[in-house]
Amino acid sequence: MATSQPPLRFTSHKNFVYRLVFATLTGRTVHISQIRSSSTNPGLAPHEISFLRLLEAVTNGSQMEISYTGTVLVYKPGLITGSSSGAGASSGGVIKHELPAGCSRGVSYYLLPLCLLAPFSKAPVKVLFTGPGVITSSTPAGDMSVDSVRTAILPLYNQFGIWNNIELRVLRRSNPGPSGKGGGGEVQLVFGHQVRLPKTIHLMNPGRIKRIRGVAYSVGVSGSNNARMIETARGILNPLSPDTYVFSDVSPAPLVPAPEKIKPLGKKKIGLGFGLSLVAESSTGCLFSADVASPPEGGQAPEDIGKQCAYQLLEVVSKGGCVTPAAAPIMLGLMTMGTEDVGRLQVGRDVIADESVIQLARDLSKFGAPGWGLRDAAGENEQGDVIVSVVGRGIGNVGRKVA
């Protein structure tokens, strides 16, 4: 008779999303306590509860128990079914997920972990993010924009043999609303390539930057802001990389319901602003991204945004390695779930020393993954990069019967 394993115990809200993702992939129950227990606003935040609802929609059989104060969560994962029989699946197999108006995190907060689950799903994952809380730009909380997810994160799945029928559509753009909350955008993710096991990778040559691409966007404001951001950014980047092209996108501000006593069906514009997303691609296919958007309270010139984003991109490239801090959890997570072989990845010292990456290593060891092997990168390397060796667990996709 099989006995159930005791739940893995974690504390605090840090790395909350990836703990739930790896619990779902490994099938282990987790018990998370002391969630903002010492805060003036204790318990789970609106964006975390919304992510739990998203998990419930793309899985079948998941159970969640939240304490009265919201500071303790017990999560028992189910099978990742994708959009076939999800709780929110509508006609056409698309899960419509609404984000609350008080959401202060960008939609990439949901997209990155969802893309980590999608390759191991039983059926394709099709999710439409809508509602008054969808923010497509980068946010003050540190989330990247949807453009960077599309151009700098999704292409990395090619390294693992996951490349077919993956699409991220921005149907309606939005910057953060007043106080950085809410946006009213609309984004659709289609992830239709499911695999039995991700391939083992050996990515140890960062190469040299050969091209820079980007998207400048203005939402509900003058399109001349785009031209000013692009001109400033190109002035910094062109002497370093002549192959620099930035696309300009101007869109109207989204409308969200704002009922009043005299106008019960009234609406208001929200999410006005502008921003810039830049991605540098190296000769070996490594991608480095940078994101800057105008602050919700305004008062920053487009030239400052363009200059800040260009310098941020140069800073990310200067950290060395083959991945950025934002992409490290995705790459290392897929390497851990892959075939039972040793994969190698070269990362910069500043990336491996990042607090979130260190916490990820601790959490993965709790889920039963072997420890990482670290050694200095040999060869003509002036930055002192580190080679991370990861042994795959061979968890794979239990819902998919053929490779």
Side-chain angles (χ1 to χ4, degrees):
M1 179 177 175
T3 57
S4 59
Q5 294 176 304
L8 297 174
R9 296 185 176 273
F10 299 96
T11 57
S12 88
H13 64 282
K14 292 184 178 179
N15 226 27
F16 177 82
V17 166
Y18 287 107
R19 285 170 177 171
L20 296 180
V21 166
F22 291 118
T24 308
L25 291 174
T26 56
R28 292 294 302 272
T29 302
V30 293
H31 177 281
I32 305 176
S33 59
Q34 299 177 29
I35 302 174
R36 298 184 181 88
S37 55
S38 59
S39 171
T40 54
N41 190 14
L44 293 167
H47 57 268
E48 292 166 342
I49 294 175
S50 184
F51 180 73
L52 287 173
R53 289 196 299 107
L54 178 62
L55 266 185
E56 191 178 18
V58 298
T59 59
N60 186 14
S62 296
Q63 298 178 21
M64 303 164 192
E65 300 172 13
I66 304 174
S67 68
Y68 181 74
T69 57
T71 57
V72 179
L73 167 70
V74 178
Y75 171 64
K76 300 177 182 177
L79 185 67
I80 310 170
T81 54
S83 301
S84 57
S85 58
S90 60
S91 59
V94 177
I95 296 174
K96 189 176 181 180
H97 186 67
E98 291 199 15
L99 300 186
C103 184
S104 59
R105 302 300 297 262
V107 74
S108 60
Y109 173 84
Y110 305 90
L111 287 172
L112 294 179
L114 184 60
C115 290
L116 195 50
L117 287 172
F120 304 96
S121 172
K122 185 177 181 180
V125 174
K126 301 175 183 177
V127 180
L128 176 66
F129 292 92
T130 184
V134 179
I135 304 172
T136 63
S137 72
S138 57
T139 64
D143 301 307
M144 61 168 50
S145 68
V146 174
D147 300 288
S148 292
V149 175
R150 188 183 72 242
T151 56
I153 301 295
L154 293 182
L156 297 176
Y157 284 82
N158 292 342
Q159 310 274 359
F160 298 92
I162 305 168
W163 52 271
N164 189 28
N165 194 20
I166 301 174
E167 192 173 354
L168 182 59
R169 308 183 186 118
V170 185
L171 305 180
R172 189 161 62 227
R173 289 189 177 275
S174 173
N175 278 46
S179 303
K181 296 181 179 180
E186 198 166 299
V187 176
Q188 184 174 12
L189 171 69
V190 177
F191 205 113
H193 193 159
Q194 280 65 47
V195 293
R196 185 72 185 90
L197 282 168
K199 292 181 179 177
T200 304
I201 67 166
H202 301 279
L203 196 59
M204 296 185 290
N205 182 12
R208 293 183 175 276
I209 301 301
K210 65 174 182 179
R211 69 167 68 98
I212 296 174
R213 295 291 182 265
V215 177
Y217 48 88
S218 293
V219 181
V221 294
S222 172
S224 64
N225 293 311
N226 283 358
R228 292 161 66 183
M229 286 187 293
I230 293 171
E231 184 180 3
T232 306
R234 284 181 63 104
I236 296 169
L237 297 173
N238 267 3
L240 305 171
S241 174
D243 188 5
T244 301
Y245 180 78
V246 183
F247 176 75
S248 175
D249 187 0
V250 182
S251 57
L255 294 170
V256 296
E260 298 176 3
K261 192 171 182 179
I262 55 174
K263 291 199 313 185
L265 298 178
K267 295 186 177 182
K268 65 175 181 179
K269 288 186 176 182
I270 193 174
L272 281 71
F274 48 86
L276 181 62
S277 164
L278 294 174
V279 177
E281 182 183 351
S282 76
S283 55
T284 55
C286 300
L287 299 169
F288 306 90
S289 64
D291 259 305
V292 180
S294 59
E297 64 275 7
Q300 196 163 4
E303 288 82 3
D304 295 339
I305 299 291
K307 183 187 297 185
Q308 190 177 340
C309 192
Y311 284 133
Q312 190 182 108
L313 180 68
L314 297 178
E315 184 183 359
V316 170
V317 173
S318 71
K319 289 182 178 180
C322 300
V323 294
T324 61
I330 300 286
M331 299 289 282
L332 294 167
L334 287 173
M335 290 168 71
T336 303
M337 296 298 126
T339 52
E340 297 180 20
D341 196 0
V342 180
R344 296 176 180 85
L345 178 67
Q346 182 168 326
V347 298
R349 285 187 183 274
D350 290 341
V351 176
I352 198 70
D354 189 86
E355 182 184 353
S356 61
V357 177
I358 295 173
Q359 188 62 53
L360 177 72
R362 291 172 178 163
D363 292 347
L364 285 174
S365 66
K366 272 199 171 185
F367 283 108
W372 297 344
L374 304 177
R375 63 179 174 87
D376 289 332
E380 300 177 3
N381 189 358
E382 300 174 359
Q383 297 177 340
D385 288 353
V386 177
I387 301 290
V388 182
S389 301
V390 181
V391 180
R393 281 200 60 192
I395 296 292
N397 189 344
V398 295
R400 185 177 170 85
K401 300 302 180 186
V402 294

